[in-house]
Structure formats: C-alpha cells, structure tokens
Amino acid sequence: MSSMIDPAARYLKSHEWARVEGAEIVVGISDHAQDALSDVVYVELPRVGATLKKGDAFGVVESVKAASDVYMPVGGAITAVNKALEKTPELINKAPYGDGWLIKIAPDNAAELNDLLDATAYGQFLAEEEH
Amino acid sequence: MSEPLIYELSSPGRTGAILPEPDVPEFELPAELLRKELPLPEVSQIDVTRHFTRLSQRNMSIDTTLYPLGSCTMKYNPRINEDVARLQGFAMLHPLQDAKSAQGAMRLMCQLQMFLAEIVGFAAVSLQPAAGAHGELTGILMMRAYHRDRGDHKRTRMLIPDSAHGTNPASSAMAGLQVVEIPSDSRGNVDLDALRAHLDDSVCGLMITNPNTLGMFEEHIEEVVRLVHAAGGLVYGDGANMNALLGIAKPGEIGFDVMQYNLHKTFSTPHGGGGPGSGPVAVAERLADFLPGPIARVKPGSENGDGTNGQPLYEWHMPSKSIGRMRAFWGNFGMLVRAYTYIRVHGEEGLRAVSQNAVLNANYIQARIKHIYPVPQGERHCMHEFVAQGKFADAPGIRALDIAKRLMDYKFHPPTNYFPLIVPEALMIEPTETESKETLDSFVDALLAIAAEARNTPEIVKEAPHTAPMRRLDEVRAAKELVLCCRLDTVG
C-alpha cells in the first residue's frame, strides 16, 4: 500500500508534514496518516497568535476510528489556522497536502526544519513501518 | 428496522398500571411545583412488553452469541448472581439506614474487600469507585496524595506505555498530571531503554496494564517495577485484564502499589444496560491510609462479637489520610453482591480454572487463525486475548471494519476493532473462559470463511452486514451530525 508523499515537504515520524511558503511554514498530516485514520470528522486547532515549541501538541485530529494529537514540526507563533476544516474536516482526506492543511507558523528558527525527514527518508520510514 | 419510539406508541389515557391505595397521609403538592404538561408515554403493559422484547431481539448479547469484544471481558453473567442480589435483605436496604441495621450487607462488603485484597496480594481495598476508569482516577489521586504527604510536590508526570488501556491517559490528565507515552519493543513489552530515559524525580508513577492490550504478559515486569521504584515513583496496575491472572499471579507480590478491579469484567457483573459498573481499588500497605471512604470494617475490639448472634460489629471507617469520598453512599452495592457470589461459587480452584480456560481459549483461536490473519505477536503465547489484523496483502480493499461487520452475518458479535492503536487494522479477540470448543471452532470457521470471501467475493464483505436489523451505518454522519435527544413535539 503506497501513499503519496509531497516531495516539497519535510516530515515528522508522527506523520505531520511541513512546507515553507514565503516567510511561513504550512503544516498538515501526510497522505499515509489520513489513510490510517480514515474518515476525519473533527479537528481541534490552536488559537491564532499562540506560541508553541517544537514537539508540542498543537491540536487534535479525530476520525471515526481514533483521536490523535498533532505536533509542531518547528517552534513559533501560529499565524493562521484552516477555518474550512470546522465545517469540512474531510478536506484532510481529500487533499492532505493541499486544502486539508492545518496551521501556518511564523518560525522562531526556520533551521529547525532541517531536523525533519525529507521526502525520501520519510518514504523509507513508511516502508520500514509496514514490515 | 422500524421499531417506533415508546413515545410514538403513546395514546392519551392508555395505561398499564393500577397504583395502590396510599398507605401514608395524602399531601397536596405546592401548585408551583406541578407541571401542566408531563409528556410521558401512555401505553399498556403488553405494548411495553412487546416494544422492549422486540428491541432486545435485535441486539447481540452474551445470552445469544459469543461476544469476543477484546479488552471488555464479556463473560457470561451467572444467574445465581441475580438470585442473590434479589434477596430481600440486600435488595430492600436503604443507603441511609443505620449501620446497626445493615450488618449483613457490611459483613459482605468486608469479606469482599478481604477476597479482593487476597486475590491480588494487596493490603487493603475500597469498594467505592463506580467503574474501572473511576477506579483509575481514585488510584492516581492516592498516588498524588502519597507524594504530597511526603512533602514531594514536583512529581507531576505519569508514564504510560502505548500498550495501556485508552482510559489511562485520560484518568491521569483528569488528575492534573502530564502524560508521557512509553513505546513498546518488538515483542510487545515496555521498551526498557525508553522507560529509563524518562525516569527522574518528576515522575509520579507508571501506569501499566498487565497483561497489556496486545494480550501479552510483560516479560520484564519485575525490572519495570524495580526501575520505577528506584526513581521514587509508584506503580499503578490497570486491573482490567485480571481475568488472565486469577490464582496464578499477584500484582501486589510483583511489587505494584495500587490496582483497580473491574467487577463487571473479571467477576461477571453485568456491563452497561444490565447494571452499573464497579471498580474497587486495592493498595499496598503504604497507600492504605489514603483510600477513599467510608470503608466497612470490623469495629476494633468487637472481633469476637458485640454485634448480634456472636458476630463482630461492623462500622464505617474513614482512613486517616483519605482522599475523601469518591462516590455517594457505599459504592454500587448490588454489583458487590454479584461479585461476592461469583467468588464464593468458584472458590480458589474455580477462579484459577477461570483464568486458565480464558487463556487457553484465546490461544486456541490465535493458533487456528494466525496463518490466515496476521498476528503481530503471534510467535508468543497470548494471555486471555490477542490482537490480529483485519487485512490481507491479496485483498487490498478489505479492512478490519469490513470483517467485523461481516461476522454479524455469521451471528457473532464483532471483536473490538481499531484498538489498540499501535496495531494497524486491529481486531482484538477475547473469547472468555465460558465458551466450549464447538463455539470457538464455529467462530474460527466464520473468520476463515470471511478471509476466503475477502479474496473471492470482496463485495459481500465490503457491504456487510446483510442480515442484521440495520445495514452498514454511516459512521461519518453519526460522528458529525449528533442527535442526542428526541424532541417530543415532533412525535406522537
């Protein structure tokens, strides 16, 4: 079972992706994560303006099967949350790397992004998890 | 399925009961307390009987089928439990009546406390908590109180393996502690290196489920307990899986400090609609003073009788450093009577046989299906339950949910699915001790038949159930569009 991986993003082992867009970093969950969770029915996101550290839980993604915390890939201030998910959380299933994004961050230290897995390494990590 | 609501069966003036003449003086209720409209259903006895009988027939229950709902221990509830709970002396008690007039009930509670302490090797027991997770919260509050009593206020973290029960993190968070998840190793045990890395003087304790939710007995349990104690923490044992250990292993002797029982699992009291739960907590000596109370005990000095008929006098007692009450009155007393009955009927050898057969039955199913269904820990013997996976490499469209639903067409209650979270497409199977080999075989045959269908006629599995009162439910809609109450102005 192979899932899509956005080559432009970097990844956490907990299956969040992070992508640089201008001065901000956009964060979501990977195609693999949405497939494992199955139908997402509710998303809890932080307040815009909140400041969180790398590794902090910033929200919850709840599906018909499970509720999972989602974690900050880098530290920084939350500059935007995806309001569309309130009414249509299924966007995460339909377009995990696009319209299903979760938050945008103004990073304290963008270099923290280099600690994350790149697309190739994440692909290998997924292959190992399968076995 | 079109069974109407009881309100929809209502017809003005229809009645199913004749009230007796009052045997106390009549009293006019104040007018401001009387409602003009009281929208209760007006139905005859036969309508009520048929309505609820029809509903019950659409249900799957332990009285109609194998109910292998892993983690829940859906064992048979012996009828003698009900007989004893209905004895007038138990059933007609009022919780506010004087202790002197409830000595028999208090004696039963004292003896049950003794049995429960003995079975797990602990010093003392409180019967107050009303359910398993309530018992967890009780235990955690005692752990917290213990540290504070020693003047140690920095222990704010609870370590919880990822193979623990899902309620453990919630109970810890409710008690104000920070939850730290500890991963499992490749054999399904607590990863000792990860545990060591998190142990310091900020650890309140470890909350461990043993056997864990993979159905595995922790192979390094003594080392786990030693490490936590060496760091100054306490060890909480989630006793929800005690059905594997009765008469075989005592958590208290392994070094645990506190554990909750689930009487509605291990000791055969009804789950859910059949009656409330009950989650007594057992503790080691050093936590005994923190137990919630009041607790029934023999009044000191009355051991040889100043109650009646040469019996000791029983009294209510509040432990000296008690965390206080966890529940109004005396716990779910009716459940205590049922659990007491179950223990007395089985005795020591009988309880050991319960666990032996629970473990044997689970291993029998595991051995028969593990070549067809992936079982991540299939090279080990399981305890009273095991976790298989509802997925096949050559039937990519089929998931655990499809297999669970299809089992209903074979007239079996589905196993727990998608829990534990650490196993993708989990099917968690717990047959309990009461099933015969013939029943286990027919369940396995159904699982094997479904595995064949998954490859040959996957649409039959995908669209299941076909014969249940309701077809496949829309889980997404059920989670997003909650209808939590019936608007009475829309019925009738």
Side-chain angles (χ1 to χ4, degrees):
Chain A
M1 196 161 48
S2 68
S3 55
M4 291 193 324
I5 297 174
D6 177 358
R10 286 183 168 260
Y11 296 85
L12 289 178
K13 285 187 177 175
S14 47
H15 306 291
E16 294 82 357
W17 56 261
R19 200 169 55 215
V20 178
E21 288 186 7
E24 292 175 323
I25 289 174
V26 187
V27 181
I29 65 169
S30 72
D31 184 43
H32 172 84
Q34 71 77 20
D35 185 62
L37 279 170
S38 79
D39 295 304
V40 175
V41 293
Y42 178 72
V43 184
E44 188 179 305
L45 293 173
R47 178 175 57 81
V48 171
T51 306
L52 294 166
K53 292 197 298 291
K54 175 180 174 170
D56 284 352
F58 69 78
V60 180
V61 177
E62 188 177 329
S63 75
V64 291
K65 292 198 310 205
S68 302
D69 284 344
V70 276
Y71 299 96
M72 295 286 281
V74 298
I78 310 294
T79 56
V81 300
N82 188 353
K83 288 235 181 289
L85 298 179
E86 281 175 25
K87 287 266 164 54
T88 49
E90 61 270 23
L91 287 173
I92 292 174
N93 298 113
K94 286 182 184 148
Y97 300 108
D99 291 343
W101 65 277
L102 299 175
I103 56 167
K104 295 181 181 178
I105 305 171
D108 294 334
N109 175 11
E112 282 182 340
L113 212 53
N114 298 327
D115 302 340
L116 308 187
L117 302 174
D118 63 20
T120 311
Y122 181 63
Q124 282 167 358
F125 172 69
L126 289 184
E128 284 163 23
E129 265 208 333
E130 277 292 296
H131 295 289
Chain B
M1 164 149 159
S2 60
E3 180 64 25
L5 298 172
I6 190 86
Y7 287 96
E8 293 170 317
L9 295 173
S10 182
S11 176
R14 194 170 288 166
T15 174
I18 300 164
L19 297 177
E21 288 298 314
D23 58 357
V24 291
E26 285 199 46
F27 181 79
E28 284 292 319
L29 286 170
E32 68 272 19
L33 293 183
L34 289 175
R35 278 192 267 177
K36 286 198 185 67
E37 295 278 323
L38 188 60
L40 293 174
E42 297 178 82
V43 282
S44 66
Q45 273 197 26
I46 188 70
D47 288 343
V48 173
T49 301
R50 286 178 182 157
H51 173 69
F52 287 108
T53 302
R54 280 194 298 263
L55 286 177
S56 75
Q57 287 169 338
R58 289 173 179 194
N59 204 5
M60 285 184 144
S61 77
I62 189 64
D63 287 345
T64 55
T65 180
L66 172 73
Y67 205 135
L69 196 65
S71 190
C72 296
T73 313
M74 303 301 286
K75 65 166 69 179
Y76 175 66
N77 303 156
R79 292 300 178 264
I80 190 173
N81 293 356
E82 301 305 315
D83 289 346
V84 176
R86 281 165 177 71
L87 290 176
Q88 294 283 295
F90 294 134
M92 302 302 283
L93 283 174
H94 192 284
L96 287 176
Q97 76 189 60
D98 189 82
K100 284 209 171 78
S101 66
Q103 289 286 299
M106 294 172 73
R107 183 177 173 201
L108 178 141
M109 294 175 80
C110 261
Q111 289 193 357
L112 180 60
Q113 286 159 200
M114 210 170 65
F115 295 157
L116 294 179
E118 170 65 25
I119 288 166
V120 286
F122 276 120
V125 168
S126 169
L127 302 172
Q128 281 209 345
H134 195 206
E136 291 173 30
L137 177 64
T138 305
I140 298 164
L141 291 175
M142 284 191 279
M143 292 164 74
R144 220 179 56 163
Y146 168 83
H147 289 306
R148 288 184 179 179
D149 184 59
R150 295 181 303 112
D152 185 346
H153 293 269
K154 52 188 182 305
R155 296 187 177 270
T156 55
R157 296 195 307 151
M158 184 69 90
L159 309 184
I160 303 182
D162 61 10
S163 61
H165 273 140
T167 44
N168 291 181
S171 302
S172 297
M174 186 171 267
L177 298 175
Q178 187 197 340
V179 174
V180 180
E181 186 175 288
I182 307 293
S184 302
D185 67 17
S186 61
R187 283 178 63 79
N189 297 309
V190 171
D191 185 324
L192 288 177
D193 289 333
L195 176 63
R196 281 192 198 94
H198 282 103
L199 283 171
D200 58 30
D201 63 2
S202 72
V203 170
C204 176
L206 170 82
M207 234 181 150
I208 188 166
T209 308
N210 187 32
N212 63 29
T213 54
L214 296 170
M216 295 289 115
F217 192 90
E218 284 288 336
E219 292 175 301
H220 313 299
I221 187 63
E222 287 172 312
E223 178 66 0
V224 167
V225 170
R226 194 189 66 74
L227 287 170
V228 174
H229 282 167
L234 297 172
V235 178
Y236 184 101
D238 184 317
N241 289 343
M242 265 311 287
N243 214 40
L245 303 182
L246 298 173
I248 295 166
K250 294 186 174 184
E253 290 179 358
I254 295 169
F256 286 63
D257 298 286
V258 50
M259 194 199 91
Q260 106 283 349
Y261 277 105
N262 297 50
L263 298 187
H264 46 286
K265 296 183 180 179
T266 316
F267 296 106
S268 78
T269 73
H271 281 69
S278 182
V281 280
V283 292
E285 193 66 51
R286 60 173 158 172
L287 288 177
D289 287 342
F290 297 92
L291 280 169
I295 294 174
R297 72 165 181 185
V298 174
K299 186 177 182 185
S302 82
E303 290 79 1
N304 299 319
D306 60 1
T308 51
N309 302 327
Q311 293 289 338
L313 181 66
Y314 296 92
E315 65 170 10
W316 297 114
H317 167 67
M318 203 66 175
S320 59
K321 297 173 181 174
S322 176
I323 58 166
R325 269 188 183 276
M326 287 301 287
R327 195 183 182 286
F329 303 121
W330 324 111
N332 284 335
F333 178 71
M335 297 303 121
L336 306 181
V337 177
R338 288 169 175 86
Y340 175 88
T341 305
Y342 185 79
I343 292 171
R344 289 293 303 269
V345 165
H346 282 81
E348 184 184 336
E349 284 306 315
L351 289 179
R352 185 174 295 118
V354 162
S355 286
Q356 287 169 338
N357 283 297
V359 171
L360 180 64
N361 285 356
N363 275 285
Y364 181 72
I365 297 177
Q366 174 175 285
R368 276 205 63 198
I369 71 163
K370 73 177 181 183
H371 304 296
I372 305 293
Y373 287 81
V375 177
Q377 302 299 335
E379 86 286 359
R380 287 183 63 181
H381 284 304
C382 65
M383 298 299 286
H384 63 305
E385 65 191 359
F386 70 99
V387 180
Q389 290 180 288
K391 62 171 192 175
F392 309 105
D394 52 352
I398 299 298
R399 309 188 96 161
L401 181 71
D402 305 315
I403 294 159
K405 297 290 187 192
R406 183 61 177 150
L407 269 169
M408 294 166 70
D409 288 331
Y410 286 85
K411 308 302 175 200
F412 290 108
H413 194 286
T416 297
N417 51 61
Y418 299 104
F419 182 82
L421 301 175
I422 50 178
V423 177
E425 303 298 324
L427 288 170
M428 190 188 200
I429 298 173
E430 179 182 14
T432 82
E433 69 279 4
T434 37
E435 302 302 334
S436 66
K437 180 171 177 295
E438 288 77 9
T439 303
L440 300 177
D441 278 330
S442 55
F443 175 66
V444 169
D445 291 344
L447 280 173
L448 299 184
I450 293 169
E453 289 171 349
R455 293 172 174 88
N456 303 325
T457 51
E459 64 286 349
I460 288 184
V461 184
K462 231 29 227 173
E463 291 165 14
H466 300 271
T467 60
M470 296 289 284
R471 297 294 303 272
R472 186 78 65 106
L473 301 176
D474 185 341
E475 289 192 311
V476 175
R477 215 179 128 216
K480 285 176 75 175
E481 297 175 29
L482 301 180
V483 181
L484 297 177
C485 57
C486 165
R487 283 186 50 200
L488 293 175
D489 55 3
T490 64
V491 300

